[in-house]
Every structure is written in structure tokens, then in C-alpha cells.
Amino acid sequence: MADLINLIEDWIANLLLGWGASEELTLFLLQTLGSVLVIIICFVIVIALIWVERKLAGRIQDRFGPNRAGPFGIFQSFADMIKIFTKEYVTPEGAEKGAFNIAPVLAMASVLAIWAVFPFAVNVIGADIHVGVLYIVAVGAFGILAILMAGWSSNNRYALLGASRSVAMLISYEIPMVVSLLVPVLLAGSTKLSVIVEAQQPWWFLLSAPTAALIYLISSMAEIGKAPFDLLEAESELVAGYHTEYSGMKFGMFYVAEFLHQYTVGALVTIFFLGGWGGPLAVRWPILGVVYFYGKSFLIYLMISWIRLSLPRIRIDEMLNLNWKFLIPVSFINLVAVASVDRILLDLALPIWIDVGVLFAVNLLILLAALYLAGKSKPALERKEFPPRPVAVPPGTER
Amino acid sequence: MQSYWIYIGIFLVVAVAVPIIAVALPVLIAPNKPNRRKEEVYECGIETTGNIRVQFKSQYYIYTLIFLVFDIETVFLFPWAVSLGKLPLFAVIEGVIFIAILFGGLIYAMRKGALAWY
Amino acid sequence: MLLPALVFAFVSLVTLGAAIAVVTNKNILHSAYYLILTFVGVAAVYVMLQAPFIAVVQVLVYVGAIAILIIFAIMLTRRLMSKEMEQHNAQWVPSVVGALALFVVLAWIVYTAGWPVQEGTPPLDPISQLGQDLLTTYLVPFEIASVLLLAALVGAILIGHEKGMRREE
């Protein structure tokens, strides 16, 4: 009863072998079933997440959020889904048909493909490949390409401008993301995701590498285009950026991909810094590991939503300055410091809580030094002082 | 190990097939009445004027070039990070030299003004 | 034994077909898209050769950076954006003959050379093994790679630097 997932898997395998299927066909069918199950769970989660996000946004903005479609508005997502399925596709004139239609599929597929390598519980992992971390970064690159294709093939210069700015921002923030990912890889000694999660079991990497976690969170928030980095959408500026000309389910694909990407970032932060499926009794009962994994990812999702709903948008030149002049140097210095301290501590062979404490102190030191130095820099564009301008007042009240 | 990549292949096929089905389904159930006014390119409600292809800034290209150099640098750093536990202490210094050379390049780019977005 | 051969045949057909489409397509942006497909096909071949690290690095660097670079370069050049371009010039017959001759020579070399076959299995932890080799046996190429990347960075900045760019003090 404890090992529910493996029990079900063995039962299906025995069933298929009993029907006369060969070994390889059984494995193939089990793998197909597993991947379909993971993808269906992703879609179900996104439907729930859209409702959570809209309710949360409503409450933070001192309003109710959706409350008409069912009690507390829980059927709102289903209503939206039905509406989007029945909307007409309007293709702008002069758009390139091939790229225009492939872009939403590519954007969605690149986010879904990340779920192939996640460790859900102790021995429940889809594909425990040796290069798990690099696979995740490589698949994310397809999403960037999808944005470029969408912006170009719309035959709309605002979509093109939005897409180019998005791509410039996304590739800029990919560097601190990958460099801060090197820190958990270094601490765990492998790029296999299952080894990274198992290496965190008593002491999560959030304690050993908080600076890397912070940099990874900030860069990922820029990658998914959530505020304060949301000038990809910038609803009041570029209309809708690269997906201006999309309607119906193609727009729906971009929309769902964005929410799923936010949840996937939550899952990635969980795997790398929050101990993955770890928690009390997670090793004895793998089903608890799955619950912990999805639960922790949901907490990070809520945190990202909270930050998004509280902060204003920052300008693109401030954002790129932040990346190239602050995040990248800090992430490199952090990597060098953690690498040297970890290697020296490995030679000294102290008990593990001393290791964690020393690493935590080093990280905190770097973070405070970086924030102090950043506070002393001058802003990018000098603001001139303007003389006070005349203000219109009603006649008879002017001084 | 090969079976893991077969799983990834199957997963990718399913991950591409599900959005294709989702995008193809409305073709059956949604209306499709193309109309010349509907299909005009959007420009905040007015007629489109001017050339569609605007002149790009060259800053995009420079960002992509610098990103490419740092991307390859992180690719080199992955084997270093993984095998740091099994190597002598001097390996840390070797990696630091690698990072420091390219960090110097980043400082050069900053001073030259190549990273500014004007 | 049949299934790997089928998969390899499918992957190589896709790769070669995309490569032919790259050089024969009239629209240069579509050529760039087919080039991305070629890169992905080559990555699949690397996976079948049991080199997963090289496969994901191929996707990461080629599709993630170089393809975007190529597309931006196409977008920066307004003259290339016209839909129809000249596909060949007047000397296309000698060039086809030259390409076919090169192909025949390469195929003859590949088929008649005695490739030494080494017995052995891939290491259990390829990236760790790669790291250890890179930092002990091949240390000098590792450091020279960083100098090479620095040279590329400096060259890119020097070439792309516009005259009107402000400098940081």
C-alpha cells in the first residue's frame, strides 16, 4: 500500500504481459501512458491555477475576482475554455501561414517537454538522463524561438517590435539563470535531477545557497515574463506584444503556456533549492513525495503571483542594466565563492551542519556586499532638474 | 540509459501532439468567415501606414553575440562543476582563471558601452 | 535491431531533407527555420551515438543562440527581406559538378578507410569523466578556450560598436 505508484505500474505491466505483449511493447506502452498522464495532470493543474490567480489578483486589488460562474467562480476557467474553443481564427493578411500556426504549438510544447525529466518521488522519474539540467535549459530555448516566429510572421510591426524586445530580454536573463543553476549542480556533484534532489534530503540547498536561489528566482521571473518584468505583455504599451494578431485557441495556447511556465518555474525552484519531493515520510510512502512536490511548486507559484501583483513594471533599459551590471557579476562571484568554500570544506570533512552554516554565511555576505555596492551606483540616465511648471487653477483662485 | 531517451522521444511526440489537437479542434467547431476588414493588420484602429519592416537597432545583435559567448562559457563550466568534488584543490583555481578571463571581457564590454540600451 | 535502424533512417531523412530545403528555399527566413530543424536532427543523431551531453549542448548553443543570431542578422538587413531572391548565378553547372565530385571523393574515403573499432562501453557518468579529463589532461585547451571566447567577445564589440554610442566613464 505504501508504494502505490509502483504497484499500479506493476499491475498494468502484468496485465499487458498476460495479454501476450512482448517486453519492449509493454515498456513502450507504459512510457506512453506515463507521459500522457503527466501532460493531462499539467493541463488540469493549469485550469485550477488560472482560477487561483484571478481570485488572488482580485483579493489583492480589493475586489472579488470571478464569482458568477459557480460558487466562488470555480467554473470560470471552464467557461473561458469553452469560449476560446469556439472563437474564430482570424489570420491577418500577409501573415506567413506556416510559422504563424507553428508558433503557439512550439511555445506550448517547449514548456510541456520540461516535465519529462522531473523526479516526482523516490523512484518515480520519467527520464533520469545524465544531462537533466542542461536538457531543461535547452528546451527552454525553443520557447524563445517560438516568440520570435510569432512576432515575425504576424506581419505587424508592433508585434515584431514586441517580439524582438522580448527575445533580447529573454536571452539576457538566461545567463544568470544558468550560472545560478551551476551552484546546486556543484553542491550535489551531478547534473542528474534525481541525484540533486536526493543530495538535499536533510538540508535543502536553500540553506546552502540562498543567493543562488534568489538569483535563479529573479531570472526565472524574467524568463516567464511576469512582473516586474512583464513588458512582453505590457498591456498598455504594445497592445499585446508578440501575440497581438492571435485569436481563439492559438492565443489560448500562449496563455496556457504562460501559466504552465510559471508553475514549471515553481517546480524547478522546488527541485533545485527546496528539496524536491523531500519531506517527512516521503521515502517510505512515495505518494507523499508526489504530494510534497506539487505542493511546494504551488507555494512558489503563489509567491510569484504575489510579487507580480504588488510591483510596478520596470523599464527595459533599467531591466537590462539590472541584468548585465548586477545579476551576472553577482552570480559569477557567488559561483566562484561557493565553489572554493565547498571544495575546501570537502577536504576538511566537518559535520554537515557546519558546512551548511559556513556556506549560508558566505552567501549572505556576498548578497549584502552586492546590495550595498548596488545602492551606491548612480542611475543609468541622468535626470535633469526641471523648473516648476505652471499649473492650471480655476479662475479667481490663483495666487 | 537509452530507454530514458526513448521516453523523452515519446514525451516530445505527445507534447507536440496535444497542442496540435487543441489548435486543430476549433477548426471543426468554430465559425470561419474570412472578411477583408477583419483581416487587416492591427494598428490601434487606424489604417496601416508605412513600411511593415522597420529598421532594427543593431543593439539586438550585439546582445545576442555577448549572450552566445557567455552561453558557451557556461557549457564549459558544467563539467567543471560536476567533477569538482573528485579533483584536487587546484581545480578550483583553474576554474576561477577561466571565469576571471571572461569576467574581464564583461568589464570591457561594460566600459565600452556595448551593454547599454539606448 | 530493426527499430534503431528505422529511427536512424527517419532522423537522417528529416535532417537531410531540411538541409536541402535550407539551400534551395527562396525565402531566406524559411531557410533559417529549416536550419533549426537540421540542428535538431543532428542532436538526435548525437543521442543515438550515446553522447547526450553533446546533443543537449548542440540544441542549447545552436538552436538557442546561433539560430537567434542568424534570424536577427536576417532581420537587420532590409535588402534580404524581399520574398524572392536569385537562387543561382550563371556558373551553376560547374559548381554542381564540383559538389558531386567532392561528394564522390568523400564517400569513397568513408567506405574504404579502415576505421579502428574500439571495444568498450560509455562511462557510467559521462559528464564527471569529461570534467576530470578536461581539468587534468586537457587543461591547456580548456584555458585557451576561454581566451578564444574572450577574443570573440572583444571582436564582436569592436565590430558592432557604432560611432554614436556613448561610453561609460
Side-chain angles (χ1 to χ4, degrees):
Chain A
M1 192 53 217
D3 207 352
L4 190 63
I5 300 169
N6 283 332
L7 225 69
I8 295 182
E9 189 180 330
D10 290 336
W11 178 75
I12 298 183
N14 285 332
L15 197 66
L16 285 172
L17 283 173
W19 283 347
S22 68
E23 235 351 276
E24 293 138 354
L25 189 61
T26 313
L27 190 64
F28 176 79
L29 284 174
L30 269 176
Q31 284 176 336
T32 313
L33 198 63
S35 48
V36 168
L37 189 66
V38 168
I39 291 183
I40 289 181
I41 292 180
C42 281
F43 275 104
V44 167
I45 286 179
V46 166
I47 292 179
L49 287 178
I50 295 180
W51 174 79
V52 167
E53 168 103 16
R54 289 176 71 169
K55 270 300 205 194
L56 188 69
R59 287 295 172 172
I60 287 185
Q61 292 165 0
D62 203 17
R63 56 183 172 89
F64 277 118
N67 60 354
R68 292 233 176 241
F72 296 109
I74 49 181
F75 296 133
Q76 181 70 38
S77 300
F78 294 105
D80 279 339
M81 235 173 56
I82 297 177
K83 175 201 78 165
I84 278 191
F85 264 113
T86 54
K87 259 199 194 275
E88 179 183 350
Y89 284 146
V90 176
T91 310
E93 56 175 344
E96 304 179 2
K97 295 267 172 41
F100 192 76
N101 291 326
I102 290 181
V105 171
L106 194 61
M108 188 74 198
S110 83
V111 178
L112 278 177
I114 302 181
W115 285 82
V117 289
F118 279 171
F120 293 107
V122 184
N123 282 325
V124 178
I125 184 170
D128 196 12
I129 52 178
H130 279 301
V131 287
V133 175
L134 279 167
Y135 168 82
I136 291 174
V137 183
V139 168
F142 276 105
I144 301 178
L145 218 56
I147 292 178
L148 203 55
M149 279 170 68
W152 179 261
S153 60
S154 300
N155 203 28
N156 182 347
R157 86 190 80 164
Y158 300 107
L160 185 60
L161 279 177
S164 316
R165 279 173 31 160
S166 308
V167 170
M169 184 182 95
L170 289 176
I171 61 175
S172 301
Y173 274 91
E174 199 161 313
I175 302 175
M177 191 176 85
V178 178
V179 173
S180 65
L181 269 187
L182 274 172
V183 173
V185 166
L186 194 114
L187 291 174
S190 167
T191 43
K192 284 175 95 152
L193 287 178
S194 61
V195 174
I196 291 180
V197 172
E198 277 168 21
Q200 293 187 54
Q201 277 332 307
W203 300 96
W204 293 348
F205 284 157
L206 185 63
L207 297 168
S208 308
T211 315
L214 193 64
I215 296 176
Y216 183 71
L217 193 64
I218 296 177
S219 322
S220 297
M221 273 169 49
E223 285 285 319
I224 57 182
K226 287 293 178 188
F229 306 102
D230 67 343
L231 50 64
L232 309 193
E233 305 167 345
E235 280 102 8
S236 48
E237 292 173 19
L238 288 169
V239 188
Y242 59 91
H243 49 71
T244 309
E245 293 286 353
Y246 282 92
S247 55
M249 198 57 198
K250 295 180 196 161
F251 170 74
M253 279 286 112
F254 279 118
Y255 192 65
V256 169
E258 186 176 320
F259 276 94
L260 189 61
H261 203 174
Q262 189 175 344
Y263 192 72
T264 309
V265 162
L268 284 170
V269 171
T270 309
I271 289 178
F272 288 117
F273 296 104
L274 289 182
W277 43 254
L281 291 178
V283 178
R284 270 196 58 206
W285 290 355
I287 195 82
L288 268 185
V290 177
V291 169
Y292 288 143
F293 176 74
Y294 277 107
K296 287 184 211 174
S297 318
F298 182 64
L299 282 177
I300 302 286
Y301 174 87
L302 280 182
M303 196 171 88
I304 296 179
S305 280
W306 187 10
I307 298 177
R308 165 171 105 90
L309 293 162
S310 321
L311 292 177
R313 191 177 300 141
I314 64 180
R315 255 188 7 228
I316 184 164
D317 62 317
E318 290 174 349
M319 186 176 60
L320 291 171
N321 268 344
L322 174 74
N323 179 48
W324 291 100
K325 300 190 181 157
F326 181 72
L327 279 183
I328 290 187
V330 171
S331 59
F332 272 121
I333 293 176
N334 183 39
L335 174 70
V336 164
V338 169
S340 2
V341 170
D342 190 55
R343 186 66 186 82
I344 295 176
L345 287 175
L346 209 67
D347 275 342
L348 294 179
L350 296 166
I352 191 165
W353 58 272
I354 296 186
D355 287 346
V356 171
V358 170
L359 281 168
F360 183 74
V362 168
N363 268 296
L364 212 58
L365 207 67
I366 293 177
L367 189 61
L368 291 173
L371 286 173
Y372 173 69
L373 285 173
K376 290 176 57 159
S377 68
K378 28 191 228 333
L381 292 176
E382 303 292 332
R383 298 185 192 280
K384 298 199 288 246
E385 282 297 322
F386 291 108
R389 295 213 215 115
V391 175
V393 292
T397 61
E398 54 215 55
R399 286 187 273 117
Chain B
M1 290 303 127
Q2 290 292 83
S3 75
Y4 289 146
W5 283 98
I6 298 179
Y7 177 80
I8 288 187
I10 298 174
F11 200 96
L12 285 174
V13 167
V14 177
V16 170
V18 168
I20 289 183
I21 294 176
V23 169
L25 200 57
V27 173
L28 302 169
I29 57 181
N32 184 22
K33 298 177 173 42
N35 181 340
R36 207 177 153 250
R37 283 293 153 201
K38 258 199 300 200
E39 289 179 357
E40 275 182 2
V41 170
Y42 185 73
E43 187 157 340
C44 303
I46 58 179
E47 306 258 329
T48 56
T49 53
N51 197 356
I52 289 295
R53 317 293 189 196
V54 295
Q55 177 60 42
F56 256 53
K57 296 164 66 132
S58 65
Q59 190 63 36
Y60 293 107
Y61 195 74
I62 296 180
Y63 274 154
T64 317
L65 276 173
I66 301 180
F67 162 69
L68 179 61
V69 169
F70 280 100
D71 207 17
I72 302 182
E73 174 186 359
T74 58
V75 162
F76 270 103
L77 284 177
F78 264 98
W80 172 73
V82 168
S83 57
L84 202 57
K86 308 184 183 73
L87 288 167
L89 190 57
F90 186 61
V92 175
I93 305 202
E94 294 166 359
V96 170
I97 294 177
F98 188 88
I99 295 178
I101 293 178
L102 280 160
F103 199 77
L106 180 68
I107 307 267
Y108 171 79
M110 261 196 248
R111 303 286 289 207
K112 267 288 195 175
L115 294 174
W117 177 276
Y118 289 119
Chain C
M1 200 50 218
L2 182 58
L3 193 59
L6 271 181
V7 172
F8 176 68
F10 174 68
V11 166
S12 21
L13 270 177
V14 165
T15 310
L16 289 172
I20 294 178
V22 168
V23 296
T24 55
N25 208 325
K26 289 196 168 49
N27 187 348
I28 194 167
L29 198 65
H30 290 172
S31 298
Y33 294 150
Y34 284 118
L35 189 63
I36 294 171
L37 194 59
T38 315
F39 290 151
V40 173
V42 172
V45 171
Y46 282 136
V47 167
M48 281 190 288
L49 289 173
Q50 298 190 336
F53 182 68
I54 305 285
V56 286
V57 166
Q58 161 95 7
V59 173
L60 180 64
V61 171
Y62 269 102
V63 177
I66 294 186
I68 297 180
L69 198 68
I70 291 178
I71 293 182
F72 271 153
I74 294 174
M75 287 182 190
L76 271 172
T77 320
R78 292 179 86 177
R79 192 177 61 88
L80 290 177
M81 287 329 303
S82 57
K83 300 264 183 172
E84 302 287 314
M85 285 195 59
E86 277 294 315
Q87 278 305 299
H88 45 75
N89 54 9
Q91 292 102 6
W92 65 276
V93 173
S95 60
V96 165
V97 168
L100 275 178
L102 182 64
F103 175 69
V104 165
V105 166
L106 284 176
W108 182 74
I109 294 178
V110 165
Y111 275 115
T112 61
W115 299 103
V117 179
Q118 235 184 8
E119 289 297 325
T121 51
L124 272 158
D125 198 359
I127 301 189
S128 175
Q129 189 65 37
L130 178 67
Q132 286 173 339
D133 281 338
L134 207 53
L135 284 169
T136 51
T137 321
Y138 300 104
L139 177 61
V140 176
F142 181 68
E143 302 292 345
I144 291 185
S146 83
V147 176
L148 188 64
L149 286 169
L150 179 70
L153 185 62
V154 169
I157 292 172
L158 275 176
I159 291 182
H161 194 91
E162 283 177 0
K163 291 231 178 345
M165 259 190 195
R166 262 189 271 172
R167 291 172 192 232
E168 301 267 324
E169 289 308 319

